[in-house]
Each structure stands twice: as structure tokens, then as C-alpha cells.
Amino acid sequence: MSEDNAALALLKFYVDAGVDEALDEGPIDRLAPPEPTPEPAIMPEAPTATPQARRATELTSRDEITRNARAAAAGADTLEALRDALAAFEGCALKKTAANLVFGDGNPDAALMFVGEAPGAEEDRQGVPFVGPAGKLLDRMLAAIGLDRDAAYISNILPWRPPGNRSPTDAETAACLPFIERHIELVGPKILVPVGGTAAKTLLGTTRGIMRLRGRWFTYESLHMTAPIPARPILHPAYLLRTPAQKRETWMDLLEIRARLDGDEGGA
Ligand code: URA
Ligand code: URA
């Protein structure tokens, strides 16, 4: 891309993303009194099982859930089979509150795979990942590097929406991890893009925050992969909607991803 074209594409990305003025979305009343902080609720101690006994049962059942998840995921040799295995999986309670299983979207033959955190309200309604406001921004981010959903495949760490869009718990993430690992194996992308902090930490197996993970290449590998693949985490579009100033960093990451994609296509 020439410098002029790159500048134009960046400008288009900003304009498409609605960054046309440096204002907050709603009016701010700076004279309003601060919101009162609610009194913390005091939870009565559960009289049953000692803490040690309780932890032991939780651990056993979590182990069992992980074992079941691994076996179910490993047994799936196609994306259809993996979707069926997830639909039949009873190890994650989010399934009960979600309206739909949100499996994947885009082109499963694509060289580029994005993995987000979990479905939001609109994704849950439609059963398709990244179709709400964050998804629309992700589409514009793809467009900014000359790609669309036909040139990428998109999924999430969790296939079910956490109620009220709360963050997934460690147990939920652990239960679903074998499925997204298998999902990545079956798609077999050339480049993996964890989208946002949760996906980056989970897939790269680190506790580091996304601000330290973005801007660099990592190597991603799972049990049944034939070769490791490069992974480049990016900031989450939902975060970029709230913090548009960070779009510049994301643009740099997107350009790196595009260049590596072109290099692979040219070189392989
Ligand atoms: N945020 C995500 O991480 N994934 C979606 O599918 C939608 C919003
Ligand atoms: N926090 C996240 O979890 N993801 C981001 O992309 C930014 C902040």
C-alpha cells in the first residue's frame, strides 16, 4: 500500500468508526452529586461442607468437566461435528441462559482467524459472532485492510452469552477452551488473532494484560496442530468504541497482520 493510500484507508477507518468529533456520546453533568455507593451485602456463611471439602468437590467436578470437554472436542473431525458436540455439551451453565449457540462465521478456509471473548446480546439473538456494535467495528477494521468476512473466519472463546455481558468466569472459560482449541485446529488458519484481553490471555496462556500483549507476534500451538502458527492479539473493538484514541495502535497491528498475510500468500 502506498503511503497516500494507507493514510486514506486510515482516515476511512476513523470516519467509518464514527470518530468525527472529540466528544462523549452523552451529555455529562459535572455538577451532579456522585452516585452513592451501595452498602456491601453480608452473605451468610453456608453451613454445609468445610471449605477444604467444598474445594475438593469443585476440583473433581471441574476436572471431570475438562476431561469431558477434551474428549468431546477431540472426537470432532469436522466443524459440523464440533458444533454438534458443543450443542450436546452440558459442562457450561451459560448454555441454559443463552438463547443460541454462537459457533462461528466467515470463511472456514480463510488464512486469518479471529477469536473474541463471548457473544453479546445481538450475537445471542442471531446465533452469529460479532454482529452487534463491536462486530460492525470489526467489519470496518477488516475493510480497512481490504478484507471482509469472506477472507476471515470468526469465533469466540465462549459460544454462549454470559448473562448481562458479564466477564466469563475461569471455570466457564476452562470448560469451553478445548472446543475453541479444536475449532482453531479444524479451521487451520495461517494467522490467529485473539481479539481483546480475555481471548489473548486464554489462547496465549498468560496472565499479562492485552496492553502488553498487543503490538507483538506470538506463537500459538495446541495438541493436535501439525505446526505452530503466528498469533497477533489486537484490542477489542468494544474497547475501541469506548476508547477511540487506541485505534491508532490497532491500525498498526492490522497493517502488520495484512503484511504477514500477504507475505505468506506470496511466499508459500
Ligand atoms: N464481543 C465478542 O468478544 N464477541 C462477539 O461475538 C461479540 C462481541
Ligand atoms: N481490555 C480488554 O479486555 N480488551 C481490550 O482490548 C482492552 C481492554
Side-chain angles (χ1 to χ4, degrees):
M1 217 184 296
S2 82
E3 220 163 79
D4 280 352
N5 282 346
L8 207 61
L10 175 58
L11 200 60
K12 186 169 184 316
F13 174 50
Y14 273 87
V15 172
D16 283 352
V19 191
D20 53 5
E21 48 192 10
L23 289 174
D24 282 309
E25 275 183 5
I28 299 174
D29 182 359
R30 297 189 194 281
L31 300 176
E35 298 252 327
T37 30
E39 289 287 315
I42 298 168
M43 300 295 290
E45 272 285 332
T48 50
T50 63
Q52 291 90 330
R54 212 159 43 227
R55 218 167 300 133
T57 357
E58 275 168 19
L59 278 182
T60 334
S61 58
R62 263 176 87 163
D63 271 0
E64 209 174 292
I65 287 169
T66 304
R67 259 199 311 278
N68 289 343
R70 285 222 187 95
D77 285 330
T78 62
L79 289 174
E80 291 69 32
L82 187 66
R83 179 196 265 272
D84 291 346
L86 257 177
F89 181 59
E90 297 297 342
C92 180
L94 294 176
K95 181 183 178 178
K96 296 195 186 72
T97 48
N100 278 302
L101 171 72
V102 178
F103 186 69
D105 191 36
N107 181 356
D109 297 323
L112 190 57
M113 179 167 179
F114 291 83
V115 178
E117 176 175 323
E122 195 53 35
E123 289 78 18
D124 185 44
R125 245 189 306 278
Q126 296 188 31
V128 181
F130 281 105
V131 288
K136 296 217 162 72
L137 177 53
L138 183 63
D139 284 340
R140 292 194 291 269
M141 288 157 68
L142 282 172
I145 52 168
L147 302 176
D148 59 18
R149 286 195 187 213
D150 235 15
Y153 187 78
I154 304 177
S155 187
N156 282 302
I157 300 284
L158 293 184
W160 295 289
R161 180 195 186 204
N165 294 350
R166 66 160 168 75
S167 294
T169 65
D170 288 348
E172 288 158 357
T173 304
C176 296
L177 183 59
F179 292 98
I180 188 63
E181 285 178 349
R182 186 70 187 142
H183 209 146
I184 297 167
E185 287 168 6
L186 290 172
V187 172
K190 293 234 164 57
I191 295 175
L192 177 68
V193 181
V195 180
T198 300
K201 282 182 205 176
T202 307
L203 294 175
L204 302 175
T206 169
T207 54
R208 284 183 151 207
I210 182 70
M211 295 305 173
R212 289 170 165 240
L213 296 174
R214 68 142 295 278
R216 300 163 47 194
W217 286 101
F218 291 81
T219 303
Y220 173 83
E221 191 167 20
S222 63
L223 203 59
H224 306 285
M225 274 171 69
T226 45
I229 53 170
R232 180 94 182 193
I234 60 170
L235 297 177
H236 199 290
Y239 173 77
L240 294 178
L241 286 173
R242 297 192 299 272
T243 322
Q246 299 280 349
K247 282 202 177 92
R248 189 163 192 284
E249 272 71 31
T250 305
W251 173 244
M252 297 299 162
D253 288 325
L254 292 170
L255 287 182
E256 279 282 329
I257 290 164
R258 177 73 220 213
R260 184 125 189 190
L261 204 57
D262 291 344
D264 279 357
E265 275 164 9

